[in-house]
Amino acid sequence: MLNIEETWNYLIDRFKENMASVSYDTWIESSKCIQLTQDEITIQVPTKLHKDYWENNLTTTTVELLYELTNREIAPVLLTEEEILSQQQIDEEPAVSAAAQSELQMERKYSQLVEKYTFDSFVIGKGNQMAHAAALVVAEEPGTIYNPLFFYGGVGLGKTHLMHAIGHRLQELNPHANVKYVTSEMFANDFIDSIRNRTQKEFRSEYRQVDLLLVDDIQFFSDKEGTQEEFFHTFNALYDQRKQIVLTSDRLPNEIPKLQERLVSRFAWGLSVDITPPDLETRIAILRSKAEAENLEIPDNTLSYIAGQIDSNIRELEGALLRVQAFATIENLEITTGLAADALKSMLPGKQTVGKNIEDIKKTVAKFYDVTVEEINGRKRVQTIVRPRQVAMYLSREITGESFPKIGKEFGGKDHTTVLYAHDKIDELLETDFELKNKIDEIKKMLS
Ligand SMILES: Nc1ncnc2c1ncn2[C@@H]1O[C@H](COP(=O)(O)OP(=O)(O)OP(=O)(O)O)[C@@H](O)[C@H]1O
């Protein structure tokens, strides 16, 4: 028998570990678990916006986390407070309606594209221009020019959005096109299920008969040998039939640890394009387009203010806008810059480093460790300099979201693999080394 409280706590703890605090506070803290059965978890969320966000961004992870915990496929059912109230009023049979709803949601998540992730709702800016153009070409001429198309870049910068946009566009042009979107983990789970249920034939025909296969976040193939093997064959089958493959990852294929060489080389056959964090202008344009979609009246200077606060992750930018909107609704006030500042104040303690560049970071780290920026840029390998250098590289990636090659260049022309190694090293150390964690928090404070 599953314990509702333990299960929910497990889930939200995992989210807390993996989400920025602004996102966690906005999406998770406001939600609660109201029912748990052997195959369903019912989560109450405050508004329709929260529900959309959960459905688009959190349900897959929820299923995976619950699977890890319970070894069962538990489908999330999202209900807004209003829906719960009206459900109670018309006194429907909750079990039936929840089950039906869950089926619908799972269906939507697993086999359909997210409706609003289209080219129309995608704002083009310097950081994503090339990716956008490549996506359009692929949607219009699948399987011929750039195959596979590979998007890479930091968290929440629009890779998934563009992928779905390709799918929508292809289906517009060819309504019979068979499009499949999965995350790498969904692919892995499907594959494992097919072994368990002896349905490998069905699995293969499902994956090898598509016209467009979209696989998100392939960095999670990292240590999955068997899945990589299967994906290799899926890839070859599709490629040979000239079917389009689109992949995303947070880094280039050759930077993904333990990714088989033959996959690395295949992924390089087509075109790899990175998506970099949006500049201020693009962030304002994105906010404006989101505000319009939600029918929100927000003055331009307030949009600029919000865009200035969050500079690397568009998902967080959306969270900030929602936060401001919720604040205005609760306080029954118009949205102004002052109100936005109040709404975001409590959300941004960890974000005070926004707007800092690599140079600022190097200077601050050098000061903290009592070394010079020249030493950080240099090549001396003594521990007293190596650690500050690694910390500075780590913070540069985390705070500015710049690509590894760009950071390497700014650290005295180092190779991107050096930056990648430094980043992953510090990331790994942070899990156990609390002293280092305190030091990094201290540096962030100095930066703000
Ligand atoms: N250029 C853009 N215009 C409008 N919205 C955007 C743009 N880029 C990203 N977004 C929005 O930001 C949110 C995060 O984007 P998305 O999920 O595509 O990021 P991602 O790069 O796939 O992130 P992750 O690495 O976490 O998978 C989505 O709601 C998406 O619609």
Side-chain angles (χ1 to χ4, degrees):
M1 192 63 194
L2 301 174
N3 175 313
I4 184 164
E5 203 178 311
E6 272 172 23
T7 308
W8 180 242
N9 285 341
Y10 173 82
L11 196 61
I12 62 176
D13 284 350
R14 294 293 86 70
F15 277 129
K16 196 167 198 166
E17 283 163 14
N18 292 302
M19 285 171 97
S21 65
V22 62
S23 307
Y24 178 86
D25 290 347
T26 310
W27 310 113
I28 311 289
E29 201 138 273
S30 56
S31 311
K32 62 180 178 200
C33 177
I34 55 172
Q35 199 187 357
L36 178 69
T37 65
Q38 294 295 313
D39 46 20
E40 255 173 41
I41 182 165
T42 309
I43 300 166
Q44 176 180 329
V45 291
T47 67
K48 166 89 171 52
L49 270 171
H50 288 80
K51 181 170 167 167
D52 287 348
Y53 186 88
W54 264 88
E55 282 176 0
N56 295 333
N57 299 290
L58 304 174
T59 44
T60 311
T61 315
T62 303
V63 173
E64 283 161 2
L65 287 172
L66 292 178
Y67 189 81
E68 265 171 37
L69 179 72
T70 65
N71 239 358
R72 301 185 64 88
E73 302 237 325
I74 301 180
V77 178
L78 277 311
L79 292 175
T80 62
E81 284 161 19
E82 210 178 308
E83 283 168 335
I84 291 172
L85 267 180
S86 66
Q87 224 179 40
Q88 282 163 354
Q89 276 159 11
I90 49 179
D91 196 28
E92 275 183 357
E93 262 181 53
V96 173
S97 98
Q101 197 148 2
S102 120
E103 246 168 56
L104 245 176
Q105 277 167 2
M106 295 303 282
E107 173 79 10
R108 197 174 318 148
K109 190 70 206 177
Y110 285 105
S111 61
Q112 285 185 16
L113 300 167
V114 174
E115 212 171 297
K116 61 182 184 184
Y117 287 175
T118 59
F119 281 120
D120 282 347
S121 63
F122 191 83
V123 176
I124 304 166
K126 232 193 269 157
N128 62 32
Q129 204 168 20
M130 165 114 174
H132 173 267
L136 256 184
V137 170
V138 156
E140 290 177 2
E141 304 205 30
T144 51
I145 305 177
Y146 306 130
N147 204 16
L149 176 59
F150 190 96
F151 294 130
Y152 67 101
V155 170
L157 295 183
K159 301 183 293 294
T160 304
H161 187 137
L162 267 185
M163 246 190 172
H164 284 249
I166 297 174
H168 284 300
R169 181 90 182 137
L170 183 66
Q171 281 181 333
E172 260 166 45
L173 298 170
N174 173 8
H176 300 295
N178 186 354
V179 175
K180 188 164 182 67
Y181 165 84
V182 281
T183 62
S184 62
E185 288 176 317
M186 284 154 70
F187 181 88
N189 289 344
D190 281 357
F191 171 57
I192 290 160
D193 283 349
S194 78
I195 298 176
R196 199 182 303 134
N197 304 327
R198 300 204 170 83
T199 51
Q200 270 161 297
K201 217 167 133 200
E202 287 80 357
F203 169 86
R204 287 187 180 139
S205 76
E206 188 184 336
Y207 275 92
R208 295 180 193 182
Q209 282 175 10
V210 299
D211 298 300
L212 168 63
L213 179 64
L214 309 164
V215 187
D216 214 350
D217 290 329
I218 61 143
Q219 70 271 18
F220 296 120
F221 275 156
S222 175
D223 49 4
K224 300 189 176 92
E225 270 289 316
T227 305
Q228 286 189 28
E229 176 77 25
E230 184 62 33
F231 189 71
F232 173 75
H233 296 296
T234 306
F235 183 101
N236 290 343
L238 290 175
Y239 189 89
D240 290 346
Q241 297 172 72
R242 295 179 156 252
K243 303 298 185 189
Q244 180 69 43
I245 302 155
V246 182
L247 308 164
T248 75
S249 167
D250 66 347
R251 53 189 76 184
L252 276 166
N254 60 2
E255 294 168 348
I256 300 174
K258 298 191 198 144
L259 186 67
Q260 291 175 6
E261 200 40 52
R262 53 189 188 164
L263 281 178
V264 173
S265 74
R266 268 165 183 76
F267 293 168
W269 279 351
L271 176 72
S272 301
V273 200
D274 71 337
I275 302 190
T276 55
D279 55 13
L280 183 66
E281 225 169 84
T282 314
R283 297 201 299 279
I284 297 173
I286 291 174
L287 280 178
R288 187 171 294 125
S289 117
K290 306 272 170 198
E292 273 169 20
E294 298 291 338
N295 280 327
L296 296 177
E297 292 252 341
I298 307 186
D300 279 355
N301 60 359
T302 309
L303 288 179
S304 309
Y305 171 78
I306 303 173
Q309 297 304 303
I310 289 168
D311 71 346
S312 58
N313 179 333
I314 298 169
R315 193 174 294 126
E316 283 188 14
L317 202 59
E318 290 179 339
L321 183 67
L322 186 90
R323 171 103 186 152
V324 171
Q325 183 200 2
F327 202 77
T329 313
I330 293 163
E331 301 284 323
N332 202 12
L333 291 170
E334 268 183 33
I335 298 179
T336 60
T337 305
L339 177 131
D342 281 345
L344 298 183
K345 207 168 15 185
S346 61
M347 308 291 305
L348 296 170
K351 280 265 123 201
Q352 286 154 348
T353 48
V354 290
K356 299 293 172 188
N357 58 32
I358 296 177
E359 215 39 55
D360 298 327
I361 294 167
K362 283 193 295 192
K363 276 189 201 144
T364 312
V365 172
K367 190 164 165 209
F368 179 85
Y369 282 102
D370 202 17
V371 296
T372 63
V373 170
E374 289 68 38
E375 284 172 320
I376 285 190
N377 284 340
R379 291 176 189 272
K380 240 197 238 165
R381 295 257 185 112
V382 290
Q383 190 59 16
T384 46
I385 296 169
V386 168
R387 182 51 45 83
R389 188 181 292 140
Q390 289 175 335
V391 167
M393 287 177 170
Y394 169 82
L395 285 171
S396 296
R397 169 71 174 185
E398 291 296 304
I399 292 172
T400 68
E402 288 290 1
S403 67
F404 293 115
K406 169 86 194 299
I407 297 172
K409 213 160 133 206
E410 295 220 15
F411 276 76
K414 298 207 170 48
D415 194 74
H416 70 280
T417 51
T418 310
V419 186
L420 185 73
Y421 174 80
H423 177 271
D424 288 358
K425 172 88 195 162
I426 297 295
D427 211 21
E428 191 189 316
L429 283 174
L430 281 176
E431 286 182 14
T432 48
D433 186 341
F434 294 106
E435 199 182 323
L436 179 64
K437 188 172 179 313
N438 288 340
K439 283 184 181 162
I440 288 189
D441 286 346
E442 191 59 30
I443 296 168
K444 280 186 183 163
K445 254 191 233 143
M446 284 167 67
L447 264 168
S448 60

